[in-house]
Amino acid sequence: MKLSSLLSYKSICIQCHDNPDADALASAYGLYVYFKEHDVEAYIVYGGRNQITKPNLLLMIKEIGIPVSFFPETFHIRNGLLLTVDCQPGQGNVSPIRCNKVACIDHHQRYTNIDMSDIRPYLGSCATLIWKLLSEEDFDFSAHPELSTALYYGLMTDTGNFIESLHPMDRDMKDSLHFDKNLITRFINSNISIKELEIAGIALIRHIYNDDHRFAVVHSEACDPNILGLISDLVLQVDKIDTCCVYNHVDTGFKISVRSCIKEVRANELAEYITQKIGSGGGHTDKAGGFIFENLYESLYPTINTETYFGLRMTEYFDSIDIFYAKEMNDDISDMPLYEKKNVTVGFVDPTDFLPIGANIVIRTLKSDTETRVDNDFYILLGVNGEVYPLKKHLFDSIYEIHGEPYSYETNYAPTIRTNLDDKVFNLEDYAKTCSPRRNTFVYAKELDHAVKVFPLWNEEEYILGNPGDYMVHQKNNPKDVYIIPRDTFNMTYTLYEQ
Ligand SMILES: [Mn+2]
């Protein structure tokens, strides 16, 4: 949906969900500014039982100048368009407004089937989607610094201070907006009420501790989801606690905050594990978060209370995944089948082709941002499944042969290199050249029947996760060189060696 396609309406009612948060307000304001600039009459409303009382939101409304009004009763719009943001019409937390023409812009799971909608659940905030849609209309953000600050704050609060799963588009917005740092600091420092301080205290007293696996689970009463992060940061500082999960009930489910301080557990993977099949989770290796949908939880675990669920699921995570340290492994490989690497063309980029040595860069892909520094000693490999990773030159040379033709491939989000200093963006595909594996690369491999974590020889600090169906491989000429290859990649790049 293009924003300009809505300009034919004379009047647009922008509706936030009840009990609006910073993301809903920022998104609504972005639309408001755009419509006003194009001489379309626009106004922002929200309904529900309660008016906004949270101090940071009141400050945001005042300082940004968001013209939002509360409507306690159902009303009817005779002309024009109803546009819901950060929510969808018909949902429980969206007070009904009657209107013949309805559209929606949201980043939650799809709920509605109305035609005029742009719903992207993979985004961290609705503000990101508004930023994207405005950018596509060549909107001049520099003329509206207050809007930039609002959008930034919307993403920040919806992702627990940018730590939950950020899509590259979220990161692009975060990098490009020029926001008011002082104002953001003021918002942050008016985030918690005295009541919420007490809620956090009570939650901490009622923590559940698991001695076997050194984790804690904390259930907090209803409070602003951002407080979960504060609680989990504090809990992790306890000497006997390595990982923790803090959660509370919000409108339609449970918000969770996950932390880890050990290399054997990545918080983002643990958050994914806890929310599997009933929600979504992600973030960084040390800090992560997620959401569980109450209806899915109820249908899958109708008889388990949430405290039991979180405790069981955490225990299951620790019990079900084996951990291997390659340098300590002495596996018998004699009965494992031998595979040969296929002659598949992949791509690589030599960053020194277009960047000076010593430049600090970020390699941005769909999955992550990798910070590194350009030197003479690495290439960036573009694998068969769109995976992008830096590889030391001597390793590259031992495995690959350079052909040097231009290389192109299909992906959802074109990976880029961004320079830290002058913020230039380079599309990797523009610089990619072809290469293919040398003949006679052999590995012993076995298919995994359960999840494992392998700390490879070349990196004792970061494990590679293998799921059932993936392959654990040993280099033929160095069987201690053990690692994991995902199933799809393995099938595309290895073939059973017939002797
Ligand atoms: Mn939101």
Side-chain angles (χ1 to χ4, degrees):
M1 188 167 79
K2 280 186 72 80
L3 287 184
S4 50
S5 70
L6 303 177
L7 293 176
S8 54
Y9 292 92
K10 286 214 169 56
S11 162
I12 298 179
C13 173
I14 304 163
Q15 184 185 15
C16 305
H17 52 76
D18 301 355
N19 211 350
D21 56 8
D23 185 36
L25 291 168
S27 303
Y29 183 62
L31 292 168
Y32 171 85
V33 170
Y34 173 77
F35 293 137
K36 280 280 165 186
E37 265 190 5
H38 291 85
D39 297 321
V40 174
E41 192 208 343
Y43 52 104
I44 305 172
V45 300
Y46 70 96
R49 247 175 291 160
N50 301 307
Q51 292 204 48
I52 296 171
T53 55
K54 270 192 63 73
N56 59 329
L57 297 181
L58 293 173
L59 187 66
M60 177 187 181
I61 289 167
K62 178 168 161 265
E63 293 294 324
I64 306 283
I66 303 174
V68 57
S69 42
F70 175 63
F71 72 98
E73 309 283 332
T74 302
F75 69 94
H76 194 132
I77 299 169
R78 295 193 194 286
N79 297 307
L81 174 75
L82 173 68
L83 174 57
T84 70
V85 282
D86 197 31
C87 62
Q88 298 167 41
Q91 281 178 315
N93 65 338
V94 183
S95 290
I97 296 176
R98 279 183 291 160
C99 184
N100 290 334
K101 289 278 173 205
V102 185
C104 100
I105 298 175
D106 190 20
H107 73 125
H108 296 91
Q109 290 304 108
R110 181 173 281 280
Y111 173 89
T112 180
N113 52 15
I114 56 174
D115 287 343
M116 271 194 291
S117 64
D118 195 334
I119 298 168
R120 308 192 199 183
Y122 52 84
L123 293 177
S125 71
C126 190
T128 309
L129 180 47
I130 299 296
W131 170 79
K132 180 75 182 163
L133 294 171
L134 288 172
S135 304
E136 284 168 5
E137 303 294 345
D138 296 321
F139 183 84
D140 180 11
F141 285 94
S142 67
H144 296 278
E146 83 296 351
L147 174 59
S148 300
T149 304
L151 294 173
Y152 182 89
Y153 190 56
L155 175 64
M156 179 178 157
T157 50
D158 251 32
T159 57
N161 287 332
F162 306 116
I163 61 149
E164 286 166 29
S165 33
L166 290 187
H167 186 269
M169 201 190 284
D170 295 317
R171 291 181 252 140
D172 287 346
M173 173 174 91
K174 180 173 175 264
D175 289 350
S176 84
L177 287 177
H178 293 280
F179 59 94
D180 181 338
K181 286 200 181 81
N182 284 326
L183 199 49
I184 294 287
T185 305
R186 287 176 64 201
F187 292 164
I188 292 170
N189 289 305
S190 55
N191 191 31
I192 301 184
S193 62
I194 293 284
K195 177 87 190 136
E196 287 174 318
L197 188 68
E198 290 172 9
I199 289 172
I202 293 166
L204 284 165
I205 291 171
R206 294 190 190 151
H207 72 272
I208 296 167
Y209 178 65
N210 181 302
D211 202 21
D212 292 342
H213 300 298
R214 296 168 57 93
F215 70 74
V217 172
V218 179
H219 179 189
S220 161
E221 289 301 306
C223 64
D224 187 288
N226 288 293
I227 292 157
L228 299 182
L230 298 178
I231 299 175
S232 54
D233 284 338
L234 185 61
V235 167
L236 202 68
Q237 291 181 42
V238 175
D239 61 343
K240 284 185 174 169
I241 297 176
D242 293 337
T243 62
C244 71
C245 175
V246 181
Y247 72 99
N248 76 350
H249 192 250
V250 290
D251 293 332
T252 51
F254 304 94
K255 261 290 214 191
I256 70 167
S257 170
V258 175
R259 297 287 184 270
S260 167
C261 62
I262 49 171
K263 69 174 185 180
E264 281 79 8
V265 175
R266 287 191 195 121
N268 51 349
E269 280 176 9
L270 181 54
E272 254 176 63
Y273 190 85
I274 292 171
T275 56
Q276 211 173 66
K277 294 192 185 137
I278 50 176
S280 65
H284 298 218
T285 53
D286 55 346
K287 301 181 176 204
F291 191 78
I292 288 174
F293 296 99
E294 195 166 12
N295 56 345
L296 294 179
Y297 178 86
E298 292 293 333
S299 64
L300 248 100
Y301 306 102
T303 59
I304 304 179
N305 74 43
T306 51
E307 267 157 43
T308 311
Y309 171 80
F310 283 99
L312 282 176
R313 193 73 184 147
M314 297 271 285
T315 308
E316 203 174 80
Y317 177 82
F318 285 99
D319 285 344
S320 66
I321 306 179
D322 279 338
I323 299 177
F324 296 100
Y325 303 86
K327 67 171 179 180
E328 294 164 12
M329 283 176 80
N330 275 310
D331 280 28
D332 181 15
I333 51 168
S334 58
D335 60 345
M336 284 169 74
L338 187 64
Y339 292 83
E340 184 178 16
K341 198 154 181 152
K342 286 188 210 170
N343 188 21
V344 184
T345 301
V346 291
F348 78 101
V349 169
D350 180 354
T352 61
D353 280 353
F354 53 99
L355 288 166
I357 287 170
N360 288 314
I361 57 167
V362 175
I363 305 170
R364 176 161 295 174
T365 70
L366 186 61
K367 287 214 174 115
S368 65
D369 276 1
T370 309
E371 282 182 42
T372 184
R373 193 190 182 95
V374 177
D375 63 31
N376 258 329
D377 195 35
F378 82 94
Y379 288 145
I380 300 165
L381 204 78
L382 309 171
V384 283
N385 269 322
E387 63 277 29
V388 177
Y389 52 94
L391 192 61
K392 289 278 175 203
K393 244 181 205 174
H394 68 272
L395 279 175
F396 178 91
D397 289 334
S398 69
I399 305 169
Y400 294 101
E401 204 165 27
I402 294 175
H403 304 300
E405 310 282 318
Y407 177 73
S408 68
Y409 73 131
E410 297 263 312
T411 141
N412 283 337
Y413 178 87
T416 56
I417 286 187
R418 316 171 78 88
T419 55
N420 276 353
L421 204 60
D422 47 8
D423 206 24
K424 282 200 184 117
V425 181
F426 301 88
N427 202 330
L428 281 186
E429 208 184 330
D430 296 342
Y431 301 92
K433 290 174 281 193
T434 51
C435 60
S436 66
R438 294 177 186 282
R439 301 296 296 167
N440 307 322
T441 306
F442 293 98
V443 295
Y444 293 100
K446 73 169 176 215
E447 192 181 330
L448 293 170
D449 58 8
H450 67 289
V452 301
K453 292 171 177 176
V454 176
F455 287 90
L457 282 184
W458 69 81
N459 191 347
E460 290 174 24
E461 293 308 308
E462 284 176 43
Y463 64 79
I464 311 171
L465 179 71
N467 284 308
D470 294 343
Y471 284 81
M472 176 132 85
V473 302
H474 299 250
Q475 284 288 342
K476 180 170 178 260
N477 52 18
N478 180 13
K480 263 188 180 287
D481 191 351
V482 184
Y483 52 98
I484 302 291
I485 301 179
R487 183 180 186 79
D488 288 353
T489 308
F490 187 84
N491 289 334
M492 286 166 84
T493 51
Y494 282 90
T495 178
L496 195 61
Y497 183 65
E498 314 280 356
Q499 276 144 342

